[in-house]
Amino acid sequence: MDTPSDFERDAMREAVAQARAAVCEPGKAGIAAAVLRDGKIVATGTNHVERDTDPTQHAEIVALGRATAALGRADLGDCVLISTLQPCEMCLAAARFAGIRRIIFAARKENVAAKYFVFPHLTLGDFQGAPPAFAIIGGVMEDDVLDLYEDGQE
């Protein structure tokens, strides 16, 4: 089984800290994401759905958008997506469209409130699609964030 690198684990620790800090800010949910490339954090994002009254502003999509802006290109095929929560269906699709080939997340779908997934019958495997498939590593630092997502009140 694939495992996260030390740098990816450090990036997850940062994302967990951002998620916990976001819980304290009005209009923000405690979900954080980052896009990594060549041992550096290219962009980060937290959930801005309530703040921006925009249902598409999930942490992963915010981070993907910032990463494409920072790199000046839409193809993120050489990047890694990190998230404190298993990406939802919309975020997985966005990651696929961006060319992401590796996703690492903390809290897994089966251990969080149902509200985070509107198509519960879809699995991570359903998003593999056409090659190249992406590597998916879940449950990294899961115990550090489960309290944020267990009742859906983050």
Side-chain angles (χ1 to χ4, degrees):
M1 177 174 176
D2 202 3
T3 59
S5 68
D6 289 341
F7 172 69
E8 290 167 337
R9 284 189 180 281
D10 289 345
M12 181 65 79
R13 275 191 267 294
E14 275 190 53
V16 168
Q18 287 180 354
R20 291 206 167 279
V23 171
C24 301
E25 294 182 46
K28 281 194 172 180
I31 304 167
V35 175
L36 316 176
R37 180 176 175 259
D38 294 335
K40 295 180 185 158
I41 296 175
V42 175
T44 63
T46 55
N47 185 300
H48 294 175
V49 170
E50 295 300 321
R51 189 195 78 181
D52 295 352
T53 60
D54 181 345
T56 68
Q57 293 302 289
H58 289 196
E60 298 90 344
I61 291 177
V62 171
L64 290 168
R66 288 177 177 171
T68 60
L71 295 172
R73 57 187 165 87
D75 181 6
L76 300 178
D78 58 347
C79 297
V80 176
L81 177 64
I82 300 273
S83 181
T84 58
L85 178 62
Q86 179 175 324
C88 73
E89 307 87 356
M90 176 178 67
C91 294
L92 286 168
R96 287 295 295 181
F97 277 103
I100 293 287
R101 294 194 182 124
R102 184 172 172 87
I103 297 176
I104 301 168
F105 60 89
R108 293 172 286 183
K109 177 180 177 178
E110 61 268 19
N111 297 328
V112 301
K115 84 168 203 168
Y116 298 109
F117 301 92
V118 295
F119 299 104
H121 64 285
L122 294 176
T123 67
L124 289 168
D126 292 326
F127 289 88
Q128 288 296 356
F134 47 53
I136 300 170
I137 306 168
V140 177
M141 296 181 62
E142 184 173 45
D143 290 340
D144 294 333
V145 296
L146 277 180
D147 63 304
L148 292 175
Y149 314 125
E150 64 190 349
D151 63 5
Q153 300 300 313
E154 81 289 329

